[in-house]
Amino acid sequence: MNDFGLLNWSILIGYIIANLILGFVISKKISSANDFYIGRKTTPWWAIGISVVATYVSALTFLGAPAWSYKEGLSVIAIHLNYPLVIVAGGGFFF
């Protein structure tokens, strides 16, 4: 269990290298603070929507909700069933 293994190390190193290359390539397109923060307002609506959903339904939700429902009972899972309604309502309000 303590051995991380060659496959895991190669995946981790490949992931880090890919992120560094992607950051280097994308950084060439940024020339001002506005480019960094609002991206010249060229980001499509669907990419913003995916980002909002991914932020809202984070890894903590996938890890924390089952643990919370295991500890407190299945009634707390109803909170997580409302996510689609909140996403649609929030998207309709802001877009």
Side-chain angles (χ1 to χ4, degrees):
M1 193 76 175
N2 292 333
D3 187 22
F4 196 59
L6 181 62
L7 178 63
N8 289 330
W9 278 112
S10 62
I11 291 171
L12 179 64
I13 291 170
Y15 175 75
I16 291 171
I17 290 171
N19 274 322
L20 289 173
I21 292 171
L22 182 65
F24 181 74
V25 169
I26 291 176
S27 71
K28 297 295 182 187
K29 298 179 180 181
I30 297 173
S31 60
S32 69
N34 280 341
D35 290 346
F36 181 78
Y37 288 110
I38 60 174
R40 297 181 189 160
K41 297 183 180 179
T42 59
T43 307
W45 64 267
W46 54 267
I48 295 170
I50 290 172
S51 174
V52 169
V53 170
T55 302
Y56 187 70
V57 185
S58 65
L60 183 60
T61 302
F62 291 113
L63 297 174
W68 187 26
S69 65
Y70 178 77
K71 183 179 177 187
E72 301 293 329
L74 288 177
S75 60
V76 298
I77 206 71
I79 294 170
H80 301 289
L81 294 176
N82 290 323
Y83 282 164
L85 298 173
V86 171
I87 290 168
V88 169
F93 181 74
F94 289 109
F95 299 114

